[in-house]
């Protein structure tokens, strides 16, 4: 068990070093989020229209959803083909999937927070319970990454077809995003936090199911 | 004729469902009126779909353990049957909803969840189509099938119960149990579930045999 944790640590370090060294991926993702936000801002023509909180909320999560889809889709295709054989001999598949999920979660959380910053600057900020909203965004980053990492693994086996990633990923992420939208609506309205416990529990439950299933299935995917 | 007993059972049960469903008395209820007879068609579609998809997932697990392409064929054909049941379930539900809720699609969480569930399994078909190699196709789609089922179950069983739904038994609505206290409904409802599910398995078996025959013909060519 101990070795899995150390393997996860090493893989996380490897992934973040790699990301930092080749910044195009990270920068591309950031630029994608920012430009999508800007396109939305211009399309809504903010000067004359004030977005209602519901539209604001939904639009925010849709943008996050597509940023996450883009971010996750190359989590297994970044590296040179031959290197996978090397990992295959050195590491346990469980360590690989867990480290990818954690890594994607960190990546998506940071993208989401930067996105939130830009979004609230240009499109206004109707949130009343900011700490809860930030918690939801963090939860969303983890939820997106847990749902999408396994899907990215599956679609990378089909020669990294990007349509396939969207087709497989969107239904997988839907229960998560519905819960997130509901929860963040509570945060926007500033409803008592005890009212949101149900949704938080459901999100955690979905996360646990998905991570467990990924943990069990990834070894088979890896071997093929 | 050996092994045909369950097909005969399916035919008898479905014949009984058709006749009994139309002739036996049903409780007189406001709004529902005679449409309550759709209980014998709409609800068994969902039961059949869930059972067939469960079977498909079990075959996918079997495939991952055995690497036998026969198991994969069963898994994929059971999914096809599940999709057929799902579409029929949505259509019968929409017809029922038109007469009871006033419109075919009323943004009910269960309707939405069912539609998303179908998206999952359409994606499964797309995924299967994008591989050339049979073993690779079987393995990856088995993995996705298990994954999809694990995500689909909370989607359709947990989420609708948290939100308000027009369906019975959700969001504070009374369940169907109170109507079922009329034992006439049960008398047809349970046989209908068994009958439709058996019919689905029969469909699947025929399609599996057809696929195998096609493969054999291709091999000869």
């Amino acid at each position: 068990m101990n070795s899995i944790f150390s393997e996860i640590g090493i893989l996380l370090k490897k992934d973040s070093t790699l990301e930092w060294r080749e910044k195009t991926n990270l920068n591309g993702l950031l630029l994608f989020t920012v430009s999508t936000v800007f396109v939305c801002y211009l399309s809504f023509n903010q000067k004359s229209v004030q977005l209602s909180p519901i539209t604001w909320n939904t639009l925010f999560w849709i943008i996050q959803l597509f940023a996450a889809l883009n971010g996750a889709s190359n989590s297994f295709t970044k590296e040179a083909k031959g290197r996978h054989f090397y990992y295959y001999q050195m590491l346990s598949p469980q360590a690989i999937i867990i480290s990818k999920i954690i890594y994607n979660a960190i990546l998506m959380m940071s993208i989401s927070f930067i996105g939130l910053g830009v979004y609230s600057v240009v499109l206004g900020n109707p949130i009343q319970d900011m700490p809860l909203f930030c918690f939801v965004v963090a939860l969303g980053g983890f939820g997106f990454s847990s749902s999408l990492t396994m899907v990215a693994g599956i679609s990378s086996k089909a020669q990294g077809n990007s349509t396939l990633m969207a087709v497989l990923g969107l239904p997988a992420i839907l229960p998560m995003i519905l819960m997130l939208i509901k929860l963040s609506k509570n945060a926007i309205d500033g409803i008592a936090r005890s009212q949101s416990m149900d949704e938080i529990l459901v999100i955690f439950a979905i996360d646990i199911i998905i991570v467990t299933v990924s943990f069990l299935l990834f070894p088979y995917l890896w071997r093929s | 004729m050996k092994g045909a007993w369950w097909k005969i059972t399916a035919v008898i049960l479905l014949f009984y469902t058709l006749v009994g469903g139309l002739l036996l008395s049903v409780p007189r209820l406001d709004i529902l009126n005679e449409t309550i007879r759709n209980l014998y068609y709409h609800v068994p579609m969902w039961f059949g779909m869930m059972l067939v998809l469960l079977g498909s997932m079990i075959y996918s697990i079997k495939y991952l353990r055995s690497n036998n392409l026969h198991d994969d064929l069963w898994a994929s054909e059971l999914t096809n049957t599940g999709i057929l049941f799902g579409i029929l379930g949505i259509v019968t539900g929409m017809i029922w909803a038109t007469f009871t809720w006033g419109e075919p699609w009323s943004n009910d969480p269960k309707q939405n969840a069912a539609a998303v569930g179908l998206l999952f399994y359409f994606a499964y078909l797309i995924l299967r189509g994008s591989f050339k190699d049979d073993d690779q196709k079987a393995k990856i789609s088995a993995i996705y099938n298990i994954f999809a089922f694990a995500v689909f179950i909370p989607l359709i069983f947990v989420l609708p119960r948290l939100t308000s739904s027009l369906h019975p038994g959700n969001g504070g609505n009374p369940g169907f149990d109170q109507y079922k206290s009329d034992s006439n409904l049960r008398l047809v409802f349970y046989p209908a579930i068994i009958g439709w599910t058996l019919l689905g398995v029969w469909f699947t078996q025929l399609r599996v045999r057809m696929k195998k025959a096609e493969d054999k013909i291709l091999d000869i060519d």
Side-chain angles (χ1 to χ4, degrees):
Chain A
M1 211 55 209
N2 213 353
S3 71
I4 276 199
F5 287 122
S6 62
E7 281 180 10
I8 291 173
I10 293 168
L11 282 169
L12 278 176
K13 210 168 151 194
K14 185 255 326 175
D15 270 338
S16 38
T17 320
L18 211 65
E19 190 81 68
W20 197 246
R21 220 178 267 163
E22 301 169 26
K23 294 196 187 66
T24 34
N25 187 29
L26 188 66
N27 289 345
L29 208 53
L30 271 178
L31 189 60
F32 175 84
T33 318
V34 173
S35 44
T36 317
V37 168
F38 204 65
V39 166
C40 290
Y41 162 69
L42 290 177
S43 316
F44 274 111
N45 196 5
Q46 251 287 294
K47 285 258 156 51
S48 50
V49 193
Q50 179 67 41
L51 288 189
S52 75
I54 293 179
T55 323
W56 188 91
N57 189 23
T58 313
L59 191 62
F60 174 73
W61 284 107
I62 300 276
I63 293 171
Q64 294 308 328
L65 168 69
F66 281 95
L69 262 179
N70 265 320
S73 63
N74 41 20
S75 54
F76 285 94
T77 49
K78 269 197 297 243
E79 288 168 58
K81 192 123 195 165
R83 211 177 291 167
H84 282 301
F85 295 111
Y86 176 62
Y87 295 146
Y88 179 60
Q89 289 181 331
M90 298 297 288
L91 303 160
S92 72
Q94 281 90 353
I96 295 179
I97 185 73
I98 296 292
S99 78
K100 286 280 183 201
I101 289 178
I102 296 174
Y103 175 73
N104 274 339
I106 297 170
L107 182 70
M108 282 166 196
M109 278 180 206
S110 30
I111 297 287
S112 304
F113 278 113
I114 295 169
L116 177 63
V118 179
Y119 192 73
S120 36
V121 168
V122 286
L123 280 159
N125 186 347
I127 303 166
Q128 295 187 20
D129 190 348
M130 200 60 194
L132 181 63
F133 196 88
C134 288
F135 176 68
V136 180
V137 170
L139 212 57
F142 186 69
F144 285 162
S145 118
S146 61
S147 315
L148 289 176
T149 307
M150 187 65 189
V151 172
I154 291 174
S155 77
S156 78
K157 290 286 173 186
Q159 272 67 55
N161 181 338
S162 67
T163 326
L164 200 61
M165 175 72 198
V167 167
L168 299 178
L170 284 178
I173 216 168
L174 226 129
M176 181 67 68
I177 203 160
L178 290 181
M179 281 291 123
L180 287 170
I181 286 180
K182 235 177 129 195
L183 193 54
S184 54
K185 183 73 181 46
N186 288 354
I188 290 175
D189 294 343
I191 295 174
R193 288 182 192 172
S194 55
Q195 298 280 315
S196 311
M197 276 321 282
D198 272 359
E199 281 86 6
I200 295 175
L201 283 178
V202 170
I203 289 176
F204 270 117
I206 297 177
D207 275 342
I208 288 169
I209 292 173
I210 292 177
V211 172
T212 317
V213 175
S214 310
F215 190 81
L216 292 174
L217 288 178
F218 190 73
Y220 292 99
L221 186 71
W222 189 236
R223 248 177 263 152
S224 66
Chain B
M1 283 304 280
K2 223 182 115 205
W5 59 271
W6 58 274
K7 294 173 189 166
I8 298 168
T9 318
V11 172
I12 294 173
L13 285 179
L14 286 178
F15 190 68
Y16 167 71
T17 308
L18 287 175
V19 177
L22 288 175
L23 293 184
L24 288 179
S25 72
V26 290
R28 305 262 163 257
L29 296 163
D30 289 341
I31 304 174
L32 278 171
N33 298 324
E34 287 290 323
T35 65
I36 199 168
R37 291 182 197 276
N38 200 0
L39 178 74
Y40 310 139
Y41 304 96
H42 172 64
V43 186
M45 288 302 147
W46 292 117
F47 274 82
M49 177 178 142
M50 292 318 297
L51 289 172
V52 164
L53 290 180
L54 178 71
S56 163
M57 190 199 67
I58 291 169
Y59 268 104
S60 284
I61 295 175
K62 264 177 87 178
Y63 174 76
L64 287 183
R65 287 170 157 251
S66 71
N67 278 329
N68 183 353
L69 280 175
H70 175 75
D71 292 332
D72 175 60
L73 190 58
W74 265 95
S76 86
E77 291 304 338
L78 280 170
T79 312
N80 279 334
T81 312
I83 291 175
L84 176 72
F85 271 153
I87 292 171
L88 287 176
I90 284 196
V91 171
T92 49
M94 276 162 72
I95 296 170
W96 200 357
T98 316
F99 291 103
T100 49
W101 303 340
E103 51 189 349
W105 202 272
S106 23
N107 199 22
D108 180 74
K110 264 201 172 168
Q111 278 185 324
N112 292 339
V116 175
L118 279 182
L119 285 186
F120 257 121
Y121 287 98
F122 284 133
Y124 172 80
L125 295 184
I126 304 267
L127 180 68
R128 286 189 74 85
S130 60
F131 288 100
K132 296 261 183 322
D133 180 56
D134 272 351
D135 289 305
Q136 181 91 342
K137 176 208 273 181
K139 187 160 225 173
I140 308 291
S141 55
I143 292 167
Y144 180 73
N145 193 11
I146 300 169
F147 185 76
F149 195 76
V151 184
F152 179 52
I153 289 300
L155 177 74
I156 201 153
F157 284 116
V158 181
L159 291 190
R161 279 175 174 66
L162 286 175
T163 42
S164 58
S165 168
L166 295 161
H167 274 89
N170 296 126
N173 280 353
F176 246 107
D177 284 343
Q178 57 161 28
Y179 311 139
K180 281 194 206 119
S181 59
D182 190 313
S183 57
N184 270 340
L185 277 180
R186 280 187 204 185
L187 226 54
V188 184
F189 179 61
Y190 293 134
I193 293 177
I194 301 169
W196 287 117
T197 310
L198 286 179
L199 188 73
V201 178
W202 192 358
F203 273 171
T204 315
Q205 197 192 36
L206 287 177
R207 286 199 42 116
V208 166
R209 285 176 178 169
M210 212 170 76
K211 270 272 157 58
K212 283 200 156 170
E214 273 173 14
D215 283 353
K216 273 217 173 109
I217 292 169
L218 281 178
D219 275 353
I220 293 168
D221 288 344

